[in-house]
Amino acid sequence: MSGRQESTQGTSFAALRGQLREAAAAFASGPDALEGILLGMVDDVDRAVREPLEIFPVCHHSPASALAMARRLREKQPKVVYLELCEDMAPLLTELRNCRLPVAVQAFAGDVDGFPQEWAPLSVVAPITEASAEYQAIAYALDTPGVELVLVDRSSDHVFQWDSRSEQHKEESDSPQEAEAALHGEAVGVEIGDLRPRFAELEEHLLRHGRVRHWSEWWHQYVEVPLGDGTAGHDTYRQVMFLIGSLFRRLAPGDGDRIRVDEDRERYMWTRMREHLAATGTDPEDCLYVCGAFHAASRVAEFGVHGSTDTFTIPPRTATVWQYGLIPSSHAAIEAQFGLAAGSVSIAATQWAKNLKRTRVEPYRLQGQAGARRTGRKKAAVAAPQSPHAGDMLSGFLRRPPVLDPLDEAELLGWSVEIVRAARRNGYLASTADAIAVFETSILLAGMRDRARPTPYDFQDAAVTCIEKDRVPGRRDVRRLVDIMMGGDRIGQVGYEALPPLARDVYDRLEPLGLKLRQRGVQRALLDMTSRPELEACSDVLWMLRRLMPHGTARPIMGERRLGERSIQESWDLALGTHQRALIELGYEGVSIEQVLEQRLRRDAYGPRATTATVLAAVEDTLLYLRGRRLADELGTHALKVLAAERSVDGAPEVLRRARALLAYYRTAEPVLPAWIESFVKTGYAHYCTLLPTAFRDEDATVGQVAAMLGFLFSMESLALSLGCDRTQLELAVAQSHPDDPAKTALLWAAQVQLGTLSRAELRARCAELLDNPLVVPAYPRYLSGFVHALEPVPGLADVVVEAVSNAFGRLPDAVLLPWLPLLITTLRSGASDLAPLLIREAGRIFPARLAALDTWVPPWRAPETDPFVTGPAAAVPRGATLLTAHPATCDAVAELLGCDDGWTRHGAPAPSGAGLLATHPAACDAVARLLGCDDGWAAAAGPSSPGGTALTARHPETARALESLLIST
């Protein structure tokens, strides 16, 4: 290949080589370095021009490239088009006709096999706009009979095999333009035709001498305008793009990884093209290779149809399963992903429309393309194809002075009037004088930058200078208003036919709402399930979308869904059209939202970092959104294993909250409790009893976590004991707990009160001792924090907690009390927000309701203890039967119903004892005696009177002992 190149150096570009050699000798101190670069660029151009397979260099989203592509396709009419795009995306290109551009072709992998798990999910996107050469080639190949489109770039799998992923730190912003820029998410962009200098000093030099701010503005001024005005022919365009690509390639810094990937991509593409040519027998003269100008000036040994064939082997793909689809894109998303200036893609779209109107070139559009404009003009005449081995066109182009476009005053005046009108609509105090100032300033800036005609960038700077004030009154600044005026952030849309099955299923199931959900923006949906029962299915879909989709896709305004509760009316704000990309990516995970939800719940529950609270949350979501019991029982059984394996109490509060909610739901919605919830209560009771002594001593365990453990033990105690648990285990766990922290000590005292090992009087005495001890007084607020958390497991101590807090306010010195008040407030707000109403309600019951009564009020805990049921001498008040004697008719009716006709007992007669019932009905007593193994029979009556309880005990000592032991055991 090198010999072939040397043999042709004397036949092409000889004049240009001589000029560059003279320039290198004149401007460089030594001719070697600069001469090598300049002459090497000419060699690259010569090599690419002489390639039998015509190479068409392009720049990403360049109107000049798109115009030259449309013109060349009509001239050459190639039979095969090789396109630099991931080869595995080829089957998806036919769906572009069902979309409104711009859209992006996406390859997505949720589960990775062969890559690190932390990379998942993997996503590769290739955005396509109408003003791009790639779209012109695709439209020509798909709509022209007998033309084959072959994608030759590396697959999506190789993108991640060859590229090392680096962390990208993105600043969050709520501005509308940056929100639209997130349409591509964190996907890796395929830079088709990317052409930007990688040498920072070169880019800075070009921007400084070109008197521009950004690379996009330099490209527009010095490449787009000269090549897109229609005067540059096909050969001139190719040689200029070859020259620019070679310049950027030779001045690229020594980034070994990136250069290696670029060269491997070039080897990959030429290998695929040679394989296709050999398999089909196509003549290279009938083919067209569309690639970026950077890759067109390649120097790898595999370059060309006659390049090396045994020096590169395409590596196999990994086992990762890729899925493909189309997602909506936008001008802002393309600019953000590929580092272009804000508004540059919109300006390029405007420039594309101007070039078409000026040159009268008929572009290619896919038949049935959504949003395509129909033109009634006739197609331009097809020129005769030029020779692929044209001579030197660069010398004349580089020597030609820049064409100074005359000032189009009507266009500039229209821009000035329109920007003032837009500024006034957005709150700026702009006037006609501002429009005149913008007009004159634009001309002035263009003159300062050696331009006869102001560019959109000059106009944008002039508008900011003349209209922008010290603050932005609305949501958009002047620079953003200019972008919108120049074409705006055009946002694409994927058509219904191109959507995955899940997305189409969602739209079909939401059809009863009667809304245009594929349109962008927020729409209000009103659901009245009482009058329209069919909307209940729509409600289920919306709640699942709220669970799966990003925030704002489906936002409930009225209505809620809790365990055991269903709303009969709901109101929603829906933005499915705005979040169409997320809905499409959801379709990569399954064919229905129920399937995707079940997969995600399983992934959360069975993940390596899953906790008991996470699994219980998955169970709750299963009951809320999926009405089957199968998955809930499966995840609930898995929660038992996760709970038994946990050795910390970090998730105890969440476990307590969710376990209570699930238990309450099953008790009201199911006839019997599921087996897994019973096993969970038994396992949790034993598990937390085991961890309780350690948690009291562990410094990492907070008071709220220990209180949640006790709350689980006390609130689930009745169910756990009925299922076979032993309360002795809890008593031993509390007895073995010896905390050092004052808050946990107060929590332990509350637990002892609940168990009955500590009386309320003793608890009050301990609190009084704490206040009497000067050494403990500074730590007393921490004891109170423990008492506040103790309301979770022992809510009956609310009165004691109110008393303790009142005593603290009454007796603590200000030096201790005032610093503690913020701690008390934060404790109630963060850790015990649901317990504050209990304290407030108890305090409202104890304290007087009026301020005047506060001076004479005596706290209940300081009042002398009296029996509330005794108001006088005990003998003067009848006990027990007062209500019966006050209403004898009721008692007579009940006695008659029961068949008792003995009448009322006379005044002064001895009251019958409870043992008389046994003598009246001896058969019942004999049955109990036989059940308990007592067979000594009845003894003789001690006297004529009814036997008392003591006589019965004497007659049946074994029965009494058996009953006593039975009562003690229970």
Side-chain angles (χ1 to χ4, degrees):
M1 190 68 183
S2 60
R4 178 178 177 272
Q5 181 177 346
E6 291 174 359
S7 65
T8 59
Q9 284 181 354
T11 60
S12 298
F13 303 100
L16 182 61
R17 284 192 177 91
Q19 296 174 11
L20 294 178
R21 188 177 288 109
E22 294 175 0
F27 291 102
S29 57
D32 296 336
L34 183 58
E35 181 179 357
I37 294 175
L38 295 179
L39 296 183
M41 291 163 51
V42 180
D43 293 340
D44 292 339
V45 175
D46 190 11
R47 182 187 188 189
V49 167
R50 292 181 178 274
E51 174 58 37
L53 195 159
E54 181 178 346
I55 303 173
F56 195 95
V58 299
C59 178
H60 194 50
H61 303 300
S62 167
S65 296
L67 183 68
M69 173 61 70
R71 179 182 296 167
R72 183 56 180 167
L73 289 174
R74 296 197 181 278
E75 294 173 352
K76 184 178 178 66
Q77 295 290 318
K79 298 179 181 179
V80 178
V81 177
Y82 297 113
L83 182 61
E84 179 194 342
L85 188 63
C86 294
E87 58 182 2
D88 52 339
M89 294 181 177
L92 206 63
L93 298 182
T94 56
E95 297 293 340
L96 288 175
R97 66 179 75 253
N98 298 319
C99 305
R100 177 180 287 108
L101 299 181
V103 296
V105 186
Q106 182 184 38
F108 183 89
D111 298 326
V112 296
D113 187 357
F115 300 104
Q117 290 295 329
E118 57 269 16
W119 287 12
L122 304 179
S123 180
V124 179
V125 297
I128 297 176
T129 62
E130 188 176 352
S132 62
E134 298 83 11
Y135 175 73
Q136 295 299 309
I138 293 172
Y140 163 78
L142 294 182
D143 284 348
T144 304
V147 177
E148 184 179 3
L149 177 65
V150 182
L151 306 186
V152 295
D153 200 1
R154 56 182 175 167
S155 67
S156 304
D157 197 90
H158 290 98
V159 171
F160 292 95
Q161 285 189 37
W162 295 353
D163 290 353
S164 58
R165 302 190 71 182
S166 59
E167 295 293 333
Q168 299 179 355
H169 302 280
K170 299 179 180 180
E171 298 181 359
E172 297 182 358
S173 177
D174 296 330
S175 61
Q177 55 268 35
E178 295 192 9
E180 296 298 343
L183 282 177
H184 294 174
E186 298 180 357
V188 175
V190 179
E191 299 178 354
I192 307 174
D194 177 53
L195 203 57
R196 182 168 181 170
R198 300 180 184 177
F199 193 27
E201 287 78 2
L202 173 62
E203 182 173 351
E204 181 182 356
H205 176 82
L206 293 176
L207 298 183
R208 182 174 66 255
H209 288 273
R211 299 179 182 179
V212 293
R213 295 167 300 143
H214 195 273
W215 169 251
S216 300
E217 186 177 356
W218 184 94
W219 181 266
H220 173 85
Q221 178 67 25
Y222 295 99
V223 180
E224 284 294 334
V225 174
L227 293 181
D229 58 1
T231 59
H234 170 65
D235 294 316
T236 302
Y237 166 83
R238 290 182 66 209
Q239 294 177 20
V240 170
M241 295 297 286
F242 286 145
L243 183 68
I244 296 175
S246 177
L247 173 64
F248 293 161
R249 190 182 188 97
R250 290 183 176 273
L251 294 183
D255 187 352
D257 291 338
R258 186 165 186 179
I259 293 176
R260 174 186 56 80
V261 170
D262 289 332
E263 292 180 349
D264 285 345
R265 290 180 61 189
E266 293 157 4
R267 297 186 180 99
Y268 194 107
M269 289 186 285
W270 281 110
T271 301
R272 288 302 192 202
M273 285 186 284
R274 283 196 297 268
E275 291 176 354
H276 182 268
L277 291 174
T280 60
T282 306
D283 186 358
E285 296 290 340
D286 296 331
C287 302
L288 186 67
Y289 172 34
V290 182
C291 67
F294 187 88
H295 300 293
S298 174
R299 300 190 302 272
V300 297
E302 294 79 6
F303 179 87
V305 295
H306 302 294
S308 301
T309 58
D310 56 352
T311 56
F312 178 74
T313 302
I314 297 177
R317 303 183 188 180
T318 64
T320 300
V321 178
W322 290 87
Q323 302 184 64
Y324 304 92
L326 296 171
I327 62 173
S329 183
S330 67
H331 292 171
I334 297 173
E335 293 160 359
Q337 187 160 14
F338 299 104
L340 304 176
S344 59
V345 178
S346 299
I347 293 175
T350 305
Q351 187 71 24
W352 162 251
K354 290 182 180 180
N355 291 345
L356 294 179
K357 184 177 181 180
R358 178 189 306 173
T359 60
R360 302 186 63 82
V361 172
E362 182 69 16
Y364 287 95
R365 291 188 178 95
L366 288 171
Q367 296 179 5
Q369 178 76 58
R373 299 187 182 93
R374 296 183 178 180
T375 57
R377 65 174 183 268
K378 298 181 180 180
K379 297 182 180 179
V382 178
Q386 300 182 18
S387 172
H389 304 291
D392 179 13
M393 307 296 294
L394 278 175
S395 299
F397 181 81
L398 296 177
R399 287 181 175 180
R400 186 180 65 187
V403 178
L404 300 179
D405 292 340
L407 174 63
D408 190 344
E409 294 187 0
E411 180 187 52
L412 183 59
L413 184 61
W415 286 356
S416 302
V417 173
E418 184 63 29
I419 190 59
V420 169
R421 183 182 294 114
R424 296 184 64 176
R425 284 197 303 263
N426 285 268
Y428 288 93
L429 299 178
S431 62
T432 305
D434 293 315
I436 299 174
V438 172
F439 180 87
E440 297 294 342
T441 306
S442 300
I443 299 175
L444 177 63
L445 288 177
M448 295 173 60
R449 296 166 178 172
D450 296 333
R451 304 169 188 168
R453 180 176 184 173
T455 66
Y457 298 97
D458 298 327
F459 172 76
Q460 188 179 56
D461 293 342
V464 171
T465 302
C466 300
I467 300 178
E468 190 74 80
K469 303 298 187 288
D470 56 346
R471 67 181 184 89
V472 178
R475 296 176 56 190
R476 301 181 177 94
D477 56 8
V478 175
R479 190 174 302 277
R480 176 61 179 164
L481 294 177
V482 174
D483 295 340
I484 296 174
M485 190 192 71
M486 290 293 175
D489 184 17
R490 187 175 302 171
I491 300 174
Q493 186 181 51
V494 179
Y496 178 84
E497 294 78 6
L499 292 173
L502 181 142
R504 286 182 290 185
D505 179 63
V506 168
Y507 284 127
D508 292 342
R509 294 168 67 178
L510 295 179
E511 190 68 25
L513 296 178
L515 301 176
K516 298 179 180 179
L517 297 177
R518 278 178 283 170
Q519 294 183 355
R520 296 182 59 84
V522 179
Q523 302 181 59
R524 178 64 57 87
L526 303 176
L527 286 75
D528 186 1
M529 275 76 77
T530 304
S531 59
R532 297 182 62 189
E534 67 274 9
L535 294 181
E536 187 174 354
C538 297
S539 175
D540 295 337
V541 174
L542 293 177
W543 283 109
M544 284 187 282
L545 289 177
R546 180 178 180 268
R547 171 66 170 76
L548 297 172
M549 296 282 285
H551 176 72
T553 306
R555 186 168 62 94
I557 305 300
M558 181 183 68
E560 59 182 355
R561 178 161 292 194
R562 297 180 180 178
L563 288 176
E565 298 181 6
R566 297 268 179 167
S567 302
I568 60 175
Q569 288 183 336
E570 294 177 353
S571 176
W572 292 81
D573 276 350
L574 304 179
L576 289 178
T578 304
H579 297 86
Q580 193 182 49
R581 167 185 163 267
L583 182 62
I584 293 173
E585 291 186 350
L586 203 65
Y588 298 150
E589 304 182 38
V591 296
S592 66
I593 52 178
E594 288 83 2
Q595 179 187 1
V596 174
L597 180 57
E598 180 174 344
Q599 291 176 356
R600 290 196 180 183
L601 292 177
R602 289 181 184 275
R603 186 171 56 197
D604 295 342
Y606 290 94
R609 298 183 179 180
T611 61
T612 306
T614 304
V615 181
L616 291 180
V619 175
E620 186 174 345
D621 289 344
T622 302
L623 297 174
L624 284 176
Y625 307 118
L626 304 176
R627 300 186 179 183
R629 280 277 304 273
R630 172 189 55 84
L631 182 61
D633 292 346
E634 177 187 344
L635 298 181
T637 304
H638 179 65
L640 296 173
K641 303 177 183 178
V642 178
L643 178 64
E646 284 186 349
R647 292 296 176 264
S648 66
V649 295
D650 296 341
E654 188 71 10
V655 171
L656 172 63
R657 185 180 67 84
R658 296 194 179 275
R660 282 178 174 174
L662 290 171
L663 189 60
Y665 167 75
Y666 281 121
R667 279 175 170 170
T668 56
E670 301 290 341
V672 294
L673 292 178
W676 78 265
I677 194 70
E678 294 181 349
S679 301
F680 185 85
V681 172
K682 291 174 58 178
T683 304
Y685 190 86
H687 178 72
Y688 284 133
C689 283
T690 304
L691 296 181
L692 191 61
T694 305
F696 269 112
R697 297 281 298 181
D698 189 4
E699 295 181 356
D700 294 333
T702 63
V703 184
Q705 294 170 355
V706 180
M709 293 175 61
L710 291 173
F712 185 93
L713 293 171
F714 289 146
S715 60
M716 308 287 179
E717 184 179 15
S718 59
L719 179 58
L721 294 181
S722 67
L723 296 175
C725 294
D726 190 359
R727 196 183 194 218
T728 307
Q729 187 177 6
L730 176 58
E731 295 175 348
L732 291 176
V734 174
Q736 293 173 357
S737 302
H738 304 287
D740 296 330
D741 184 65
K744 293 182 180 179
T745 301
L747 194 60
L748 178 63
W749 292 348
Q752 292 173 349
V753 171
Q754 180 70 13
L755 291 175
T757 59
L758 184 68
S759 64
R760 289 173 172 262
E762 292 174 340
L763 180 60
R764 288 188 172 94
R766 290 185 181 183
C767 294
E769 292 175 1
L770 294 176
L771 288 174
D772 293 337
N773 190 344
L775 299 178
V776 184
V777 165
Y780 187 76
R782 300 177 62 186
Y783 285 93
L784 291 183
S785 299
F787 282 130
V788 171
H789 283 92
L791 294 179
E792 176 70 44
V794 192
L797 281 182
D799 56 339
V800 179
V801 177
V802 171
E803 175 185 345
V805 174
S806 301
N807 291 334
F809 277 91
R811 298 182 58 181
L812 285 179
D814 292 343
V816 177
L817 184 61
L818 293 180
W820 170 67
L821 287 179
L823 176 62
L824 176 63
I825 296 174
T826 55
T827 299
L828 291 174
R829 177 176 297 178
S830 60
S833 58
D834 53 340
L835 303 176
L838 181 61
L839 282 177
I840 295 173
R841 185 168 58 251
E842 185 65 23
R845 187 185 66 83
I846 294 177
F847 289 97
R850 298 184 178 276
L851 184 62
L854 188 62
D855 296 334
T856 59
W857 175 72
V858 178
W861 53 86
R862 294 185 181 178
E865 295 185 2
T866 57
D867 190 349
F869 298 102
V870 178
T871 57
V877 179
R879 303 294 302 275
T882 306
L883 186 61
L884 300 180
T885 57
H887 302 279
T890 303
C891 188
D892 292 340
V894 175
E896 182 179 358
L897 182 63
L898 297 176
C900 301
D901 53 359
D902 295 340
W904 288 84
T905 304
R906 291 186 300 275
H907 182 70
S913 63
L917 186 62
L918 300 179
T920 306
H921 301 280
C925 187
D926 292 338
V928 175
R930 285 194 301 271
L931 182 63
L932 299 176
C934 303
D935 54 357
D936 54 349
W938 285 84
S945 61
S946 299
T950 305
L952 184 63
T953 304
R955 294 174 182 175
H956 298 280
E958 296 181 0
T959 304
R961 286 194 297 271
L963 288 173
E964 182 179 3
S965 62
L966 181 62
L967 292 174
I968 292 175
S969 64
T970 57

